[in-house]
Amino acid sequence: MSSSTVEIPLRDTDEVIELDLDQLPEGEEVLSILKQETSPLHIWVTLALEYYRQGFTEDFVKILEASRSDANLNYANFEKDQMRALDTLAAYYVQQAHKEKNKDKKRELFSQATLLYTTADKIIMYDQNHLLGRAYFCLLEGDKMDQADAQFNFVLNQSSSNIPSLLGKACIAFNKKDYRSALAYYKKAMRTNSNCPASVRLGMGHCFVKLGKSEKARAAFERALYLDPQCVGALVGLAVLELNSKNQDAIKNGVQLLSRAYTIDSTNPMVLNHLANHFFYKKDYQKVQHLALHAFHNTENEAMRAESCYQLARAFHVQGDYDQAFQYYYQSTQFASSNFVLPSFGLGQMYVYRGDIENAGQCFEKVIKAQPGNYETMKILGSLYANSPSAEKRDIAKQHLRKVTEQFPDDVEAWIELAQILEQSDVQGALSAYGTATKLLKDKVQADVPPEILNNVAALHFRLGNLQEAKKHYEASLDRSRQDAQNDETYYSAISVTTTYNLARLYEALHEQDKAERLYKNILREHPNYVDCYLRLGCMSRDRGQIYEASDWFKEALQINQDHPDAWSLIGNLHVAKSEWGPGQKKFERILQRPSTKDDAYSMIALGNVWLQTLHQPMRDKEKEKRHQDRALAMYKAVLRNDGRNIWGANGIGCVLAHKHCINEARDVFAQVREATADFCDVWLNIAHIYVEQKQYVAAVQMYENCLKKFFKHHNTEVLIYLARAYYKCGKLKECKQTLLKARHVSPNDTVLQYNIALVMQKLATSILKDEKSNLKTVLGAVHDLEMAHRFFTYLSQHGDRMKFDLAQAATEARQCSDLLSQAQYHVARARKIDEEERELRKRQEGERDAIRQKQLNEQIEKQRQREDQDKKLLEQRTQYIEKTKNLLMFDAVNEKPRRSGGKRSKKMDDDFVSDGTDSDEAPRTKKRTRKGSESDGEDRERRKSKVKRKRRPRRQAEGSDDDDDRPRKDGRPRKKKEKPSKQRNDVDEDGLTAKQRRKVVSKAIISSSEGSDSEGGKLKIAENRSGNSSGSDDEGTGKRRRIVSSGSESDEGSKGSERSEARGSGSEAGASGSDSRGSGSDAKGSGSSARNSGSDRGSESDKESGSDKGSGSDRESGSEKESVGRKSDNESEKGSKSDRGSGSDAGSGSPASPIGVVGLMPAVDHQQVGVVAMRVLQIKALDQISRSRGRRVIK
């Protein structure tokens, strides 16, 4: 079988029928053959597609429709052919529906396509071609874009380079205004197949235009035009780019491109609309109408139709045919998108022309929403809303006019309109706006201020209470009116009369009734027909309580104009105020009987209110009630017929419907009235009444309360009664009672209020008495309320108003109250019993709570006492421990071989003290003490440092410790007056050290000596703490067992042994130290070097711990000791000029009984020097006593 023929096999034979595709027979003949031979489905699809290619769409549809039921499916993979048949036919229906203009037929075609796609879903749902067809179907329907996107995504997940899916995604992205994504999809499609048709380039051009890339858009349109010279879209795109360049040659070129596109496709709506726009500026309105009308009928796209209607509308608008313009403007707004606001602007103008300010404002609001800074629209809206009764719209007008005055501050009209708007809300702002307008008139326009503005400024001052300022401006306005009357006497005379009338109103406010009356009468003398003056005179009399005189003035006005509606209305109001419904009804009916005022809305509303008021009275005649309802309803309907926006008429209709028990209908009416305006108190109350009737009591209560807050600055009796009724209905009797009491404070003589209060008191008291759980106080209050209710009902049954409630019912309620009072004693006794039981129970529970509380308190006190006893016991144990171990801190001097000098540690220790030859009294490496108790921290640090520096040797047990107990204690106690010369601190903090730590602390008292001591009269100076700081370095005493006194200096570290010293000096004052203070020694004046004396309060405590000075005043102070000291002095004199470093050893002196001893070879000294040394020994004893005295006081 060749490609140009199709073979149809005959049934039950091997023969075939061969059909030439180039010469297809009639479709009916082929269809009959296919049905008769029950040909396979693929042959049906092939023939149908060939008929479609040759333009025989009817045969194409018939074959595919018949194949659904008559084709043979008994072969392999027939499902794919089924899918082809169904999807092909469905796609054809979608294409036809897209071209169809008839909405009903389009809907029918879409329904057929939907049915076919649904049938195909059941065969192979996820076939790519099926999904693509269904996606494009959803895309053309318009409102199923998300479904189409999902199906395109599914196909792309299976085949990422599927071009139909990419183009569909691009279309969806463009419609969603995601132009970058759309451009990306178009580019991907181009990369997949570079031979894409010109429409892809066209789509890219539109994306470039939306992205603001005009040059790339131009290139894309030119490329599309190169690929397809008949591409109308590309021609239109290039034409628009040329027209937007606003160049004469470019515009000419753009028009030529449009003409070329029109030649190619004269039905393209884009071409027709752009040509219509061109001819509009050429003022060829006939061509505009012709082109725009053809464009409208040749497209189904709403944006295109909106453009066509707009072109038609403005053509008619220019020609003055406002009816046709209004029609097309309106139609254009129905098709236009939110960004196309030109039709709304034109339609707003048409509404202004027709006087429909409301709809005009809505049209201009659409424009201002799309273009917030449009000057013309803001000014028009400001003018439209300036006189609107809606406060919200006046606020909008105020905002717009403020923006106009900000953009164009020299616009006098805008300032005046802004001032007129502000007159109603912001009087001060209005005055400021008038002031700006006045200044512009004087400076820019160079004109006099008109009397109208002066009159308005005076009226604003009048409203502000600036009566004198208002008077001044009124007088200025009168003067200006008299001056301008020379040019236009009639107009300015009228202005003068109005200003005089306003001035009379000012005098009324100033309580100058005589002047006001004189001005009114002066006006009447010159203008006797000025009816407002008669009415004001009548109102003045009415306000004074002179009702009949007021009636006379109103009648005087009627003599001027017998049909004056205001005069008759005021007279009718006088009757209604006195509840004279009949005479008031006649006055309003008279107004309606006159032809000129037959549609007077005020009179009809008032008359309807009269009929409605009668429905509130007790009435047993149902026919009469129905008749009054119908009359009131007729009045309100008549008002609405004349003015559909009259909220009082609509509100009256709602009231009548509520009386007829048409609750839902009444609610709908009230809701519409409230939507129209929220500043109408009656409709709020009526809606609340409806809520009560519908048993929505919570909403009713909220509505009543909101109404009270919004419209009344004080308690309004009527609204409070309504609120109390809602509370009563929902069973909240307490709130009801409180609300009624508030109302009674306002109107204490209102019998209806008294009746309602009595009724609520009775109900509330009854419920309380029936409640067996009520306490005594509540029951007594209920009994009191019952007594009050009984008195109220008794009084009202005799002196009540029969027109407001039934007196017999009041008597019945009084008897019921009496019956309840007779039973009250039982309830009171029961409540008293319950109250006593509860009191006893509370008392018992309180006693139990007090007992538990006291028990807990006692336990806490006992625990506190035990803690205190434990702390006291621990303190006593510590004191005993200190007393037992204080004598254990004395050590005998132990001889120890000197270590080798030159070691690293020795070098470090030797460098601690360096004499600078000055009087510096600060010890080396001294840390200032910032607070008491820092000693222990310093000692801990020193201990840690000592562990790092050296390995501690085992401490020997002092051999001479037993001798401490044999010494008299008083020998080592110096008196306090001896502490003054030392200039050291007496108040040493308690150290808190253990006995082991105290044994490591030694005294730092150092004797300063030199050869120059003889020059000072043989006196020996004790080193003083010149720095005044008692905080010594922890490094000097904590880690060493004893302090060695050597020639001319002392090691500030208390080193264990000096390797550099040949002669070994011993003078350990072993003991615990409680202070870190360091004293600096005095200079030996004759030696040429500064021997520093570093003393420590630790040494004082150490001396105290040792008990007494062992060698002081005893036989042990031998000549050998003096000799050794003498040698020491000579050694000091020899070495004083060489070094300040001290030499010490962990071992003490050779004699265990001597506290101070010097062992070693000393040079020979003369007797005079020995005497000096002896004196120094005495000084050492005194220093030792002072140190021990201090340490004892600290321990205590």
Side-chain angles (χ1 to χ4, degrees):
M1 183 179 67
S2 63
S3 60
S4 61
T5 61
V6 173
E7 294 180 353
I8 302 175
L10 298 178
R11 188 170 55 181
D12 300 331
T13 63
D14 294 335
E15 298 179 357
V16 296
I17 299 176
E18 185 174 316
L19 297 178
D20 188 0
L21 297 181
D22 295 334
Q23 297 179 355
L24 286 173
E26 293 291 333
E28 292 292 338
E29 182 180 353
V30 173
L31 183 60
S32 63
I33 294 173
L34 291 172
K35 287 181 179 180
Q36 182 177 357
E37 303 300 332
T38 60
S39 301
L41 179 60
H42 64 88
I43 297 176
W44 293 66
V45 176
T46 303
L47 289 173
L49 290 175
E50 191 60 35
Y51 275 109
Y52 179 80
R53 292 190 187 97
Q54 295 184 15
F56 302 109
T57 55
E58 293 183 1
D59 296 332
F60 161 78
V61 172
K62 289 178 181 179
I63 293 173
L64 287 180
E65 286 287 355
S67 68
R68 297 175 59 187
S69 58
D70 298 333
N72 183 11
L73 302 178
N74 294 325
Y75 62 93
N77 296 326
F78 69 93
E79 294 89 353
K80 293 184 178 180
D81 293 330
Q82 273 188 308
M83 294 294 295
R84 284 182 61 203
L86 294 171
D87 289 340
T88 303
L89 186 57
Y92 173 76
Y93 284 146
V94 171
Q95 185 181 23
Q96 292 301 113
H98 182 60
K99 296 178 181 179
E100 184 60 45
K101 296 180 176 60
N102 190 331
K103 291 184 178 180
D104 294 334
K105 195 168 183 181
K106 175 183 285 192
R107 190 180 303 109
E108 181 182 354
L109 290 170
F110 275 144
S111 299
Q112 293 177 357
T114 302
L115 180 62
L116 290 170
Y117 278 126
T118 304
T119 305
D121 284 339
K122 299 176 182 179
I123 301 172
I124 305 176
M125 175 178 285
Y126 298 110
D127 182 72
Q128 279 195 6
N129 292 328
H130 170 68
L131 290 174
L132 288 173
R134 195 168 184 79
Y136 276 101
F137 174 43
C138 294
L139 196 61
L140 288 176
E141 279 189 296
D143 56 346
K144 296 181 180 179
M145 198 171 293
D146 293 335
Q147 297 181 19
D149 191 31
Q151 293 176 6
F152 284 135
N153 288 332
F154 185 84
V155 175
L156 285 176
N157 289 334
Q158 294 180 348
S159 176
S160 60
S161 300
N162 187 280
I163 292 179
S165 297
L166 292 173
L167 296 180
K169 291 282 290 182
C171 182
I172 291 172
F174 191 90
N175 286 328
K176 289 183 176 180
K177 298 184 168 86
D178 187 4
Y179 305 116
R180 294 187 183 277
S181 298
L183 182 61
Y185 285 120
Y186 280 128
K187 287 181 178 180
K188 188 173 181 180
M190 289 290 298
R191 285 193 295 268
T192 304
N193 184 3
S194 59
N195 296 324
C196 285
S199 58
V200 178
R201 301 280 183 178
L202 183 63
M204 293 177 65
H206 286 300
C207 291
F208 283 129
V209 170
K210 293 295 184 181
L211 293 173
K213 300 178 180 180
S214 301
E215 295 302 323
K216 289 187 177 182
R218 185 186 298 275
F221 289 141
E222 289 175 351
R223 176 63 177 166
L225 198 60
Y226 174 79
L227 294 175
D228 183 8
Q230 305 296 320
C231 183
V232 176
L235 289 170
V236 174
L238 287 172
V240 171
L241 291 176
E242 294 291 343
L243 293 173
N244 288 338
S245 64
K246 298 180 181 179
N247 187 358
Q248 187 67 30
D249 295 335
I251 292 174
K252 184 177 180 181
N253 188 23
V255 174
Q256 290 176 355
L257 289 171
L258 289 175
S259 299
R260 180 180 166 188
Y262 182 76
T263 304
I264 296 172
D265 185 4
S266 60
T267 62
N268 189 286
M270 291 190 299
V271 178
L272 294 172
N273 282 331
H274 285 295
L275 285 174
N277 183 64
H278 169 71
F279 284 113
F280 176 82
Y281 290 108
K282 289 287 186 179
K283 296 183 180 180
D284 191 350
Y285 304 120
Q286 295 299 325
K287 286 186 178 180
V288 172
Q289 296 174 18
H290 175 75
L291 292 169
L293 197 60
H294 277 277
F296 179 81
H297 290 296
N298 287 327
T299 183
E300 290 294 323
N301 186 277
E302 291 187 351
M304 296 289 184
R305 287 195 163 193
E307 179 71 23
S308 303
C309 291
Y310 172 70
Q311 298 295 342
L312 285 168
R314 66 175 183 169
F316 287 118
H317 190 173
V318 170
Q319 297 178 70
D321 191 351
Y322 297 122
D323 292 336
Q324 289 287 338
F326 175 82
Q327 178 182 352
Y328 283 110
Y329 275 136
Y330 183 81
Q331 196 167 0
S332 179
T333 57
Q334 301 302 309
F335 293 124
S337 63
S338 59
N339 294 327
F340 187 41
V341 295
L342 291 176
S344 298
F345 191 90
L347 184 61
Q349 292 175 312
M350 295 297 101
Y351 277 125
V352 171
Y353 173 76
R354 293 187 170 197
D356 191 350
I357 306 301
E358 185 72 22
N359 288 323
Q362 293 178 2
C363 293
F364 289 116
E365 284 289 349
K366 293 180 181 178
V367 178
I368 208 69
K369 185 177 180 180
Q371 300 179 3
N374 189 271
Y375 168 76
E376 292 84 359
T377 308
M378 288 192 296
K379 191 171 181 180
I380 292 172
L381 271 177
S383 300
L384 289 177
Y385 290 162
N387 298 320
S388 174
S390 173
E392 183 180 358
K393 290 184 177 179
R394 290 196 297 270
D395 291 339
I396 294 174
K398 180 169 55 178
Q399 294 173 6
H400 290 323
L401 288 175
R402 284 188 188 279
K403 291 180 182 178
V404 170
T405 54
E406 289 173 1
Q407 293 182 9
F408 298 91
D410 295 338
D411 192 338
V412 179
E413 293 181 357
W415 281 109
I416 294 175
E417 289 183 355
L418 177 60
Q420 290 175 350
I421 295 174
L422 294 176
E423 287 176 0
Q424 304 171 6
S425 58
D426 186 3
V427 179
Q428 194 63 48
L431 278 175
S432 177
Y434 274 128
T436 305
T438 302
K439 186 177 180 181
L440 288 174
L441 285 172
K442 291 179 179 179
D443 298 341
K444 301 292 183 180
V445 185
Q446 295 181 354
D448 295 328
V449 181
E452 299 94 326
I453 293 181
L454 292 172
N455 179 77
N456 293 345
V457 170
L460 292 175
H461 281 296
F462 175 79
R463 292 173 58 185
L464 286 174
N466 304 327
L467 302 183
Q468 297 301 326
E469 193 71 21
K471 181 179 179 182
K472 182 178 72 174
H473 282 86
Y474 279 137
E475 292 173 350
S477 177
L478 287 173
D479 293 339
R480 176 61 57 191
S481 296
R482 294 190 190 99
Q483 294 176 9
D484 294 342
Q486 299 175 0
N487 300 325
D488 190 352
E489 183 176 0
T490 304
Y491 175 76
Y492 288 104
S493 239
I495 296 296
S496 178
V497 171
T498 302
T499 306
T500 304
Y501 177 83
N502 291 339
L503 184 60
R505 295 282 290 112
L506 174 65
Y507 282 130
E508 282 190 54
L510 290 170
H511 303 290
E512 298 180 9
Q513 304 290 338
D514 296 338
K515 290 184 179 181
E517 187 174 353
R518 184 169 62 252
L519 287 177
Y520 288 137
K521 290 181 179 179
N522 289 339
I523 295 174
L524 290 175
R525 192 176 298 111
E526 296 179 5
H527 303 278
N529 296 330
Y530 203 113
V531 178
D532 288 341
C533 290
Y534 291 110
L535 299 180
R536 286 309 309 164
L537 288 169
C539 290
M540 290 169 64
S541 300
R542 180 199 62 193
D543 294 340
R544 290 194 297 263
Q546 299 171 353
I547 304 299
Y548 293 104
E549 185 177 351
S551 180
D552 292 339
W553 281 112
F554 296 148
K555 290 176 182 178
E556 288 287 340
L558 289 176
Q559 290 179 2
I560 305 301
N561 183 2
Q562 294 183 356
D563 298 329
H564 195 284
D566 293 342
W568 285 111
S569 297
L570 288 169
I571 294 174
N573 287 337
L574 289 177
H575 290 296
V576 171
K578 298 176 67 176
S579 299
E580 298 175 354
W581 310 112
Q585 174 186 344
K586 291 180 181 179
K587 300 302 182 294
F588 293 121
E589 287 177 348
R590 180 182 177 85
I591 296 171
L592 296 176
Q593 289 172 1
R594 297 293 177 268
S596 58
T597 57
K598 64 179 180 178
D599 296 328
D600 183 68
Y602 184 87
S603 300
M604 286 191 287
I605 294 293
L607 195 57
N609 291 341
V610 169
W611 292 115
L612 189 63
Q613 189 68 29
T614 59
L615 298 177
H616 297 161
Q617 307 298 327
M619 187 182 303
R620 296 181 179 178
D621 190 353
K622 298 299 181 182
E623 291 296 330
K624 184 177 180 181
E625 181 179 359
K626 186 175 181 305
R627 188 165 57 252
H628 288 184
Q629 290 175 355
D630 294 340
R631 290 179 180 177
L633 186 61
M635 289 297 170
Y636 296 134
K637 285 183 177 179
V639 173
L640 287 180
R641 277 196 299 270
N642 299 328
D643 182 9
R645 297 185 299 274
N646 192 297
I647 59 174
W648 289 274
N651 185 66
I653 290 176
C655 294
V656 175
L657 290 174
H659 278 285
K660 288 178 173 289
H661 302 288
C662 300
I663 304 300
N664 293 329
E665 292 80 359
R667 181 192 59 191
D668 295 340
V669 172
F670 292 140
Q672 293 180 19
V673 173
R674 191 184 176 194
E675 289 177 2
T677 176
D679 297 329
F680 190 23
C681 172
D682 295 347
V683 72
W684 286 60
L685 294 176
N686 290 334
I687 292 174
H689 296 337
I690 293 297
Y691 284 145
V692 172
E693 293 299 323
Q694 292 180 335
K695 298 183 180 181
Q696 300 178 16
Y697 302 116
V698 176
V701 168
Q702 186 176 3
M703 185 66 71
Y704 286 132
E705 291 177 347
N706 291 338
C707 184
L708 277 171
K709 293 177 183 178
K710 183 176 179 64
F711 298 103
F712 301 100
K713 296 181 180 179
H714 53 81
H715 293 312
N716 184 275
T717 305
E718 183 181 4
V719 182
L720 286 174
I721 291 176
Y722 297 151
L723 179 59
R725 178 172 175 267
Y727 279 130
Y728 183 84
K729 290 281 188 180
C730 65
K732 296 182 178 180
L733 298 179
K734 293 182 179 179
E735 291 82 354
C736 177
K737 176 184 173 183
Q738 295 299 324
T739 305
L740 289 173
L741 289 176
K742 289 180 183 179
R744 191 161 187 265
H745 282 302
V746 180
S747 300
N749 298 323
D750 192 336
T751 56
V752 175
L753 269 177
Q754 293 179 5
Y755 186 92
N756 290 334
I757 290 174
L759 186 62
V760 171
M761 284 181 174
Q762 178 191 356
K763 297 289 184 183
L764 185 59
T766 303
S767 62
I768 291 173
L769 294 179
K770 288 181 179 180
D771 186 7
E772 295 183 356
K773 296 181 181 180
S774 300
N775 56 34
L776 180 61
K777 184 178 179 180
T778 307
V779 171
L780 292 176
V783 172
H784 180 266
D785 289 347
L786 270 178
E787 292 174 353
M788 292 292 296
H790 180 262
R791 285 200 293 270
F792 281 155
F793 281 132
T794 303
Y795 171 79
L796 294 174
S797 63
Q798 299 174 2
H799 305 91
D801 189 353
R802 296 180 180 275
M803 299 299 294
K804 295 181 179 180
F805 55 85
D806 189 2
L807 301 184
Q809 183 64 30
T812 302
E813 296 294 342
R815 288 192 297 272
Q816 187 174 355
C817 289
S818 178
D819 294 340
L820 289 173
L821 284 172
S822 64
Q823 304 172 10
Q825 295 303 322
Y826 164 74
H827 296 290
V828 171
R830 174 179 52 78
R832 182 172 284 109
K833 181 180 179 181
I834 293 174
D835 188 68
E836 291 176 355
E837 292 176 354
E838 290 179 353
R839 193 182 301 111
E840 289 295 330
L841 179 60
R842 283 195 299 270
K843 185 177 179 181
R844 185 170 61 254
Q845 291 175 349
E846 187 66 27
E848 293 175 355
R849 283 195 296 269
D850 291 341
I852 294 173
R853 196 179 300 113
Q854 186 64 32
K855 182 179 178 181
Q856 293 175 350
L857 182 61
N858 293 336
E859 290 177 355
Q860 292 177 359
I861 293 173
E862 181 63 23
K863 290 180 181 179
Q864 181 67 22
R865 187 183 62 77
Q866 292 177 0
R867 282 196 299 268
E868 292 177 355
D869 292 345
Q870 185 178 1
D871 294 343
K872 186 176 179 181
K873 184 177 179 180
L874 290 175
L875 184 60
E876 291 176 355
Q877 292 176 356
R878 183 176 182 273
T879 305
Q880 293 174 3
Y881 182 77
I882 291 172
E883 290 295 332
K884 290 179 180 179
T885 58
K886 66 181 180 180
N887 293 329
L888 298 178
L889 300 179
M890 292 300 297
F891 297 93
D892 293 335
V894 179
N895 292 327
E896 187 175 295
K897 293 181 180 181
R899 299 180 182 177
R900 290 184 181 179
S901 60
K904 186 176 181 181
R905 182 181 307 187
S906 176
K907 182 179 179 181
K908 182 177 180 181
M909 293 179 180
D910 292 343
D911 290 342
D912 286 342
F913 283 109
V914 178
S915 175
D916 56 359
T918 64
D919 293 339
S920 173
D921 49 358
E922 179 181 356
R925 300 175 62 183
T926 301
K927 295 182 182 178
K928 289 189 177 182
R929 218 182 77 186
T930 57
R931 67 178 185 269
K932 300 178 180 181
S934 63
E935 298 88 339
S936 61
D937 296 337
E939 290 164 3
D940 294 339
R941 288 194 299 270
E942 180 59 27
R943 286 199 305 272
R944 290 193 297 270
K945 187 174 181 181
S946 299
K947 291 177 182 178
V948 175
K949 282 186 175 181
R950 62 183 174 82
K951 182 177 180 183
R952 181 183 300 176
R953 296 179 182 177
R955 178 169 52 84
R956 292 183 180 180
Q957 185 68 26
E959 297 176 0
S961 60
D962 297 334
D963 297 338
D964 293 340
D965 298 332
D966 299 332
R967 287 194 303 270
R969 187 169 182 177
K970 61 183 180 180
D971 293 340
R973 291 186 180 177
R975 289 176 293 180
K976 290 185 178 180
K977 63 182 180 180
K978 292 184 179 181
E979 296 174 7
K980 292 183 180 179
S982 67
K983 297 184 180 179
Q984 296 181 2
R985 292 181 54 185
N986 295 330
D987 49 344
V988 181
D989 293 339
E990 198 173 59
D991 53 2
L993 298 176
T994 63
K996 183 178 180 181
Q997 292 172 339
R998 289 195 188 92
R999 287 195 291 270
K1000 297 177 184 179
V1001 181
V1002 296
S1003 173
K1004 295 181 183 178
I1006 295 176
I1007 300 172
S1008 175
S1009 66
S1010 69
E1011 294 177 356
S1013 62
D1014 294 338
S1015 64
E1016 296 181 2
K1019 294 182 180 180
L1020 181 63
K1021 291 186 178 181
I1022 303 301
E1024 296 177 353
N1025 186 359
R1026 295 183 181 180
S1027 65
N1029 187 3
S1030 62
S1031 61
S1033 173
D1034 295 339
D1035 297 339
E1036 297 179 0
T1038 308
K1040 312 299 181 293
R1041 294 195 187 116
R1042 56 193 62 80
R1043 178 70 63 184
I1044 304 302
V1045 178
S1046 181
S1047 62
S1049 66
E1050 174 194 1
S1051 173
D1052 64 329
E1053 299 242 352
S1055 62
K1056 290 178 285 186
S1058 174
E1059 290 87 340
R1060 301 176 57 186
S1061 175
E1062 293 181 1
R1064 191 180 306 154
S1066 173
S1068 172
E1069 296 175 8
S1073 174
S1075 170
D1076 292 337
S1077 60
R1078 176 186 300 166
S1080 61
S1082 62
D1083 297 338
K1085 296 183 178 179
S1087 63
S1089 65
S1090 175
R1092 297 187 180 180
N1093 185 10
S1094 176
S1096 172
D1097 287 343
R1098 286 199 184 103
S1100 301
E1101 293 182 8
S1102 175
D1103 291 343
K1104 181 183 182 307
E1105 293 288 344
S1106 63
S1108 63
D1109 188 357
K1110 297 178 183 178
S1112 175
S1114 65
D1115 295 334
R1116 295 174 184 173
E1117 186 177 339
S1118 62
S1120 62
E1121 182 181 5
K1122 294 180 181 179
E1123 183 180 357
S1124 65
V1125 174
R1127 294 193 200 102
K1128 175 183 173 183
S1129 177
D1130 290 341
N1131 191 17
E1132 289 174 355
S1133 62
E1134 288 178 3
K1135 295 183 180 179
S1137 60
K1138 294 181 181 180
S1139 174
D1140 288 339
R1141 299 185 182 94
S1143 174
S1145 173
D1146 289 339
S1149 63
S1151 176
S1154 177
I1156 298 177
V1158 180
V1159 179
L1161 297 177
M1162 291 289 187
V1165 295
D1166 55 5
H1167 298 283
Q1168 185 180 0
Q1169 185 67 26
V1170 172
V1172 174
V1173 172
M1175 292 176 66
R1176 290 180 182 174
V1177 171
L1178 295 177
Q1179 289 288 79
I1180 290 170
K1181 183 185 71 171
L1183 180 62
D1184 186 54
Q1185 291 174 349
I1186 292 171
S1187 300
R1188 282 189 273 105
S1189 176
R1190 286 179 181 170
R1192 184 182 298 112
R1193 284 196 296 275
V1194 171
I1195 291 174
K1196 286 181 179 181

